[in-house]
Amino acid sequence: MEEMIKLWLSDKNDDHKILKCAQQIENREQTISDLVTALGPHLTNTDTKTRIDACTLLSNVIHKLPKDCLNQGELESIVQFLCSRLEDHYTLQPVVLSLLLQLSSADNLSGENARSIITSMFKEVHIQTCMQHDRLKIFQILGTLLDIHTKDVITMGRDFLYQYIQVIDGEQDPRNLLAIFQLTKNLIESGFPLFDLVEELFDVSSCYFPIDFNPAAAGKKSTITNLDLVSSLRSVLASTKQFAQYCIPLMLEKLESDVESAKIDSLETLTACLGCYGKQELERYLSSLWSDVKREVNQSSSEEIENGCLTFLTSLLSNLSSWPVDQKSEKATDLKSFLDDVLEDCVPRLQAQSDDRSKWMTGHVVLACAKSSKIACSQIVTTVLPILLQNAQSKSPSATLAGQSVQQSALDNLVKLTAVCGQFHFENHPVLKKKEEVLTILNEVALKSENEQLKCIAVAGFASLLKLEILSNNELTELASVLFKMINLKPEPHLRGEVLSVAGYLSSQHPEVAKSHLIPCVMRRMKDGGDESCFDVLASVCTHFDVLKLVLGFIMERIVNTKVDESSGPLLHACLESLQKMTSSSWVGNTEVEYMALNLVLPLLKRCIEVTLELSVPEQCCANCHIFEGISKECASLPILKSAAIVIRNVCQKLKPGKSTDLVIQLIVSLYNNSELSALDIKSDVHFTPFHPKASPLQTRTLCFLPATICALRPNIEIPELPELETKLLNTCLHCSDQPSYVFAAKALSSLVNKYKKPSDPILEKLKSHFDTEPNWNLKSEEDKMMILTLLIWICKALVLSNHPDSLIFIKNLLFWMGDDSVGEVAAAGFDIILRESNEVLSLSSHSSIRLMHKQRFFLLVIPEIVSSFKSSKNKTRQTNILTALSHLIGHLPKQVLMQHFKELLPLLTQALHTDNTQLLKSVLSTLFCFIQDTTEAMTPHLENLMKHFLRLSKFKQDIDVRIKAIQCIGVVTLLPPIVILPFKNDIVRHLLSVLDDRKRDVRTEASKARSEWFLVGT
């Protein structure tokens, strides 16, 4: 042990010796007493530095020991020794305090030892003269001992509290203050008696109120914020009711301050104090509190102070509501008396036929009081509601505050007051007596007023009344009638949305009213020639299962009985859009989904198939198909099929394993795989061959329903005949010439490959073989290339999302196509498709396999191939397309990933600046801006070349965004060391002067900023 001590004292950086000694003590090969004995000559040495080194060694060894390593006897001897060391030279105290801080949390430390530590620190350490970090250690020791040895500390009684108050008095360092506030709060909450020192403890804490700590103003860096200190002090002041007699007067005094932050802090502190203050503490201050709050509400120009006052008022009344009531006393309760005082001040202002700020704030005060409790709300409503009803009937044109008339202000407060009532449950509802008058006014405003704001308030009032559940059936029917009439008036979009929202809520709570009145009214209007907007109304009221069944049947009947052509397009789209809204609603549960699977998905699919069979001859289809003498890409049926697919997908995404799901899958697979029209009870002489390359495009386009059905299901739902289905989809992708059809097939196949990995391995092998063995790609037509490329892009996306090991094989094939003159640009755009989120397939909503960080992995996988392909290629078309693909790639990646590959990317990005492709230039300039900002030193060798491009592109005529981004890059270059960029200063300042004449203001603004930054270079 002595040898180890000598070695360490000769080399204090040798932690190996410390660790070895600690291990010996932990393994009981040595004891801590052995270490102290061995250190004896050093601990008693006359040289202070030697004693400090010995204590430091002891501290380092104990620091390496587990908390439970030392037994109680060892700890007692160490504590006694350390307490005696506190009497030594003051330079030893920091080391001793560090060691005591470690020991204070030891498991075997006794309560007697804890008291000894506290007594010795208070007696021997002149705490207020210590350095900041040493004072912090003392506060941390006290906090730890208080937490672990609470009962023992409490036994120290008044002496401890007196010494503690002296210790913390006058502390100024924010780090120590944070520890002190937490310690004081813990001390009070532990039940420590405050004896006759309540005022003294309050004074040493409250002297910091209000805290105004701003380290930035003093030029200092700090991890502690003003909010941290304010919150900690507030928790101290609100920790005990014994502080009330001192705290409340202090807060009232600070409320009269001219400093806004002090007022806000006072209000928030008072609000926090209400959590522990009761009748005894608050009763004598109620009048003063209301007077000060009233003054601030009426006079303050700060919204924060107003909100603070209202929040405090709500909390105060909530506190008053909990005060005990003397049943024998005839005197009014404290709550009622206080509310009477409030209403005495508020009622005259509410009755006044003016509309100034005072009246507006009075309304807020009344609402804040009503929010506090059920009793307060009842009293407020009983007194104030008649006044608001009277004013709501007024039509005064005055509008002196925020454009509000007397009527609008009263109506707004009335609606908000009824909404507040919805927060409580009343046996005898206070609004009940006046509900007829409220309804009458709301109905009149909703139907007769020309003010859109008033109508919106009235609709909000309808919602509030519905939530109160006090309306009778007749009144609900009348309300439904008013809502329908409002819809017929064709209001503004915002108001219409509010009306539909209330109609939906009415339907969800009272479906019988919607079924018997609201929906029949809408249906009658549609039969009388109503427009397609009625379908939106029907979708909005579908917020209950019973209503959904009724509406679904009606809409499906209209779809089935409507012939598909140009004239019926708007009607069918309106029907399908309403179905989309219904199927995507958040309230739809498993019961509703199963119902829609059988009564919406299958009938809608059946109707779409029937339509494609009827319109297989171009002359019988739409005008576009007749003109082109074939099924056109602009065929009227295609948008309808896509909209129907969205409806079906919304349902299938929500389906769970079960009999209904199995039935739907079986019927769909039979229809497509086996061409069995009987699966959906379709009777037609035309054969249904959706996978046949030469079939009518209308039939092959029905493949859009596969991504919406089979591909939208959860992966744990088994798909029968999956290999056969995939083979047919592959054949369609490779041989069908109709562009929409092979796109649908590619999406469906990619989704199946993504979800069902093992069953899809044969398909992937076929694809790899096809790309490897197919000769003469250049001899194929552009149409054939597009078919193959579309499939390749979507397969790549499926594999990348799931991190499939074969991803790179297909990506290399995609890079190969970038050298093609006819489809190279499409291949480059494929990178955007791969990384961009898709709503149809390969999405989380469709339960696809999407791995975390797949974009980053794709980047790491493909960037070496991109760099290699670019360097090895001499074909300019190929190089341009590779750069375009790179721009799509970096556009989807976080900046941190790109920074790690700065060296590989920079040559490619610099080369990309030669192009005139605006999209590519914008992406590259944005990336270079980030590079310059974060890797300033690495950019220095390339600066001259880059600046030439930036200056040229700052006058790029084709696109304003390119000019702006180029100028931003010029400006950010000023972050580089002045010695590097100073040679460019004159040329750039001169060039930017000419850019200030640009015809676009945004460009001139950026040029002005950049020129100012360059002017300051070298100054």
Side-chain angles (χ1 to χ4, degrees), residues 660-798:
S660 300
T661 306
D662 293 340
L663 176 61
V664 171
I665 296 171
Q666 187 60 52
L667 293 176
I668 292 174
V669 171
S670 298
L671 174 68
Y672 279 94
N673 253 3
N674 306 321
S675 300
E676 293 180 5
L677 294 175
S678 58
L680 296 181
D681 195 24
I682 299 174
K683 298 177 181 178
S684 174
D685 296 332
V686 181
H687 293 292
F688 181 61
T689 54
F691 292 111
H692 198 287
K694 303 299 181 183
S696 165
L698 283 179
Q699 290 194 24
T700 57
R701 289 176 189 178
T702 61
L703 292 176
C704 67
F705 296 115
L706 287 179
T709 52
I710 302 296
C711 301
L713 297 170
R714 300 171 191 271
N716 60 341
I717 297 175
E718 186 178 350
I719 309 298
E721 305 176 27
L722 180 60
E724 184 180 350
L725 181 63
E726 289 182 330
T727 302
K728 290 183 176 181
L729 284 170
L730 178 59
N731 184 62
T732 302
C733 292
L734 296 176
H735 301 102
C736 180
S737 59
D738 181 59
Q739 191 259 352
S741 300
Y742 67 68
V743 170
F744 294 142
K747 289 180 178 180
L749 182 58
S750 65
S751 180
L752 296 175
V753 168
N754 175 271
K755 277 189 195 178
Y756 307 99
K757 291 184 179 179
K758 289 186 178 179
S760 301
D761 284 343
I763 286 293
L764 289 178
E765 291 300 325
K766 286 183 182 179
L767 278 171
K768 285 190 282 187
S769 175
H770 180 77
F771 287 118
D772 289 341
T773 58
E774 182 70 26
N776 302 323
W777 289 111
N778 293 329
L779 300 179
K780 288 184 175 292
S781 66
E782 182 178 343
E783 189 177 71
D784 289 340
K785 292 178 181 178
M786 280 298 299
M787 290 162 48
I788 298 167
L789 188 56
T790 301
L791 173 62
L792 180 59
I793 291 171
W794 283 98
I795 290 295
C796 281
K797 182 178 179 71

Side-chain angles (χ1 to χ4, degrees), residues 11 102 154 215 222 244 288 297 359 378 381 672 681 717 750 777 817 819 853 913-914 995:
D11 182 10
Q102 296 170 30
I154 290 175
S222 175
S288 300
V297 165
K359 183 173 183 178
S378 181
V381 171
Y672 279 94
D681 195 24
I717 297 175
S750 65
W777 289 111
W817 282 97
M853 312 289 284
L913 293 174
H914 291 87
V995 181

Side-chain angles (χ1 to χ4, degrees), residues 233-439:
L233 176 57
R234 185 176 299 148
S235 66
V236 173
L237 300 180
S239 59
T240 174
K241 61 178 66 177
Q242 296 181 66
F243 284 164
Q245 58 181 320
Y246 311 109
C247 185
I248 295 177
L250 175 64
M251 296 303 118
L252 291 175
E253 179 189 338
K254 297 300 180 183
L255 265 178
E256 297 177 2
S257 167
D258 294 331
V259 181
E260 182 180 322
S261 60
K263 291 185 176 186
I264 295 170
D265 201 356
S266 300
L267 288 166
E268 291 178 348
T269 302
L270 280 172
T271 305
C273 290
L274 291 174
C276 67
Y277 293 178
K279 180 175 182 179
Q280 184 178 350
E281 292 77 31
L282 291 170
E283 192 170 19
R284 59 177 168 155
Y285 297 107
L286 288 177
S287 178
S288 300
L289 288 169
W290 165 238
S291 298
D292 283 13
V293 167
K294 179 175 62 175
R295 181 191 69 242
E296 293 302 325
V297 165
N298 290 325
Q299 297 179 5
S300 174
S301 59
S302 167
E303 187 177 348
E304 277 192 86
I305 293 178
E306 291 168 3
N307 292 335
C309 288
L310 297 175
T311 302
F312 168 70
L313 193 57
T314 301
S315 301
L316 178 60
L317 280 162
S318 179
N319 189 303
L320 282 168
S321 301
S322 65
W323 288 8
V325 178
D326 187 356
Q327 301 293 344
K328 297 179 181 179
S329 175
E330 296 180 359
K331 181 184 175 183
T333 62
D334 298 290
L335 174 63
K336 188 176 186 306
S337 299
F338 187 82
L339 277 175
D340 287 341
D341 292 341
V342 173
L343 291 171
E344 185 180 347
D345 290 327
C346 292
V347 167
R349 293 177 181 174
L350 290 174
Q351 289 174 330
Q353 288 298 310
S354 62
D355 191 23
D356 54 10
R357 184 183 185 282
S358 175
K359 183 173 183 178
W360 185 64
M361 287 308 303
T362 300
H364 285 274
V365 169
V366 168
L367 291 172
C369 293
K371 291 176 184 177
S372 60
S373 68
K374 183 168 68 172
I375 302 172
C377 183
S378 181
Q379 184 175 344
I380 293 287
V381 171
T382 304
T383 306
V384 173
L385 192 58
I387 301 171
L388 295 177
L389 286 169
Q390 183 180 353
N391 287 347
Q393 294 172 344
S394 167
K395 296 183 180 179
S396 170
S398 66
T400 58
L401 178 67
Q404 291 191 354
S405 65
V406 172
Q407 181 188 19
Q408 183 170 333
S409 177
L411 190 64
D412 188 36
N413 286 327
L414 186 151
V415 169
K416 289 177 179 176
L417 189 57
T418 55
V420 168
C421 292
Q423 299 176 12
F424 309 105
H425 177 71
F426 297 93
E427 294 179 1
N428 186 15
H429 208 288
V431 181
L432 201 57
K433 295 179 182 178
K434 296 289 183 180
K435 70 169 182 175
E436 292 181 2
E437 293 181 51
V438 174
L439 266 177

Side-chain angles (χ1 to χ4, degrees), residues 99-116:
L99 192 47
L100 286 173
L101 180 59
Q102 296 170 30
L103 295 177
S104 63
S105 58
D107 294 345
N108 298 320
L109 187 72
S110 67
E112 184 63 35
N113 294 150
R115 291 195 295 271
S116 298

Side-chain angles (χ1 to χ4, degrees), residues 819-831:
D820 190 275
D821 293 333
S822 57
V823 296
E825 291 184 7
V826 179
F831 274 61

Side-chain angles (χ1 to χ4, degrees), residues 167-222:
V167 165
I168 67 174
D169 189 17
E171 179 60 61
Q172 293 182 349
D173 190 276
R175 293 163 291 185
N176 293 356
L177 285 175
L178 203 60
I180 287 171
F181 293 153
Q182 184 62 46
L183 178 55
T184 305
K185 176 175 175 285
N186 294 345
L187 183 73
I188 294 170
E189 291 181 347
S190 68
F192 197 102
L194 303 184
F195 303 100
D196 57 341
L197 300 174
V198 175
E199 185 175 1
E200 286 77 5
L201 182 60
F202 177 80
D203 286 343
V204 296
S205 300
S206 62
C207 65
Y208 301 101
F209 187 90
I211 289 176
D212 184 18
F213 172 61
N214 186 5
K220 298 178 181 178
K221 292 184 178 180
S222 175

Side-chain angles (χ1 to χ4, degrees), residues 335-575:
L335 174 63
K336 188 176 186 306
S337 299
F338 187 82
L339 277 175
D340 287 341
D341 292 341
V342 173
L343 291 171
E344 185 180 347
D345 290 327
C346 292
V347 167
R349 293 177 181 174
L350 290 174
Q351 289 174 330
Q353 288 298 310
S354 62
D355 191 23
D356 54 10
R357 184 183 185 282
S358 175
K359 183 173 183 178
W360 185 64
M361 287 308 303
T362 300
H364 285 274
V365 169
V366 168
L367 291 172
C369 293
K371 291 176 184 177
S372 60
S373 68
K374 183 168 68 172
I375 302 172
C377 183
S378 181
Q379 184 175 344
I380 293 287
V381 171
T382 304
T383 306
V384 173
L385 192 58
I387 301 171
L388 295 177
L389 286 169
Q390 183 180 353
N391 287 347
Q393 294 172 344
S394 167
K395 296 183 180 179
S396 170
S398 66
T400 58
L401 178 67
Q404 291 191 354
S405 65
V406 172
Q407 181 188 19
Q408 183 170 333
S409 177
L411 190 64
D412 188 36
N413 286 327
L414 186 151
V415 169
K416 289 177 179 176
L417 189 57
T418 55
V420 168
C421 292
Q423 299 176 12
F424 309 105
H425 177 71
F426 297 93
E427 294 179 1
N428 186 15
H429 208 288
V431 181
L432 201 57
K433 295 179 182 178
K434 296 289 183 180
K435 70 169 182 175
E436 292 181 2
E437 293 181 51
V438 174
L439 266 177
T440 301
I441 291 174
L442 293 178
N443 290 344
E444 183 179 350
V445 171
L447 296 177
K448 297 181 181 179
S449 175
E450 296 180 359
N451 188 325
E452 288 288 321
Q453 280 187 313
L454 278 177
K455 287 187 174 185
C456 284
I457 294 172
V459 173
F462 291 143
S464 299
L465 288 174
L466 281 172
K467 291 175 182 177
L468 296 182
E469 299 181 355
I470 59 174
L471 300 180
S472 64
N473 285 334
N474 290 336
E475 289 166 338
L476 289 169
T477 302
E478 182 185 359
L479 175 56
S481 177
V482 171
L483 293 174
F484 177 70
K485 290 176 183 177
M486 290 188 74
I487 294 169
N488 281 345
L489 293 174
K490 296 184 178 180
E492 294 294 323
H494 175 70
L495 178 57
R496 176 183 171 82
E498 295 292 325
V499 174
L500 292 179
S501 177
V502 175
Y505 184 75
L506 171 64
S507 176
S508 66
Q509 301 301 310
H510 305 279
E512 67 283 352
V513 175
K515 288 171 62 179
S516 62
H517 188 79
L518 190 56
I519 293 176
C521 287
V522 178
M523 290 180 177
R524 280 196 300 272
R525 184 170 182 275
M526 293 176 70
K527 291 178 181 178
D528 294 340
D531 57 21
E532 287 77 15
S533 63
C534 291
F535 288 103
D536 185 38
V537 179
L538 289 177
S540 298
V541 299
C542 278
T543 51
H544 192 277
F545 187 33
D546 293 338
V547 179
L548 182 141
K549 289 190 285 187
L550 178 64
V551 172
L552 195 60
F554 175 77
I555 295 178
M556 284 305 302
E557 183 182 354
R558 293 296 295 266
I559 291 175
V560 170
N561 295 330
T562 302
K563 183 180 178 182
V564 178
D565 53 30
E566 295 89 338
S567 60
S568 65
L571 173 63
L572 289 172
H573 281 298
C575 290

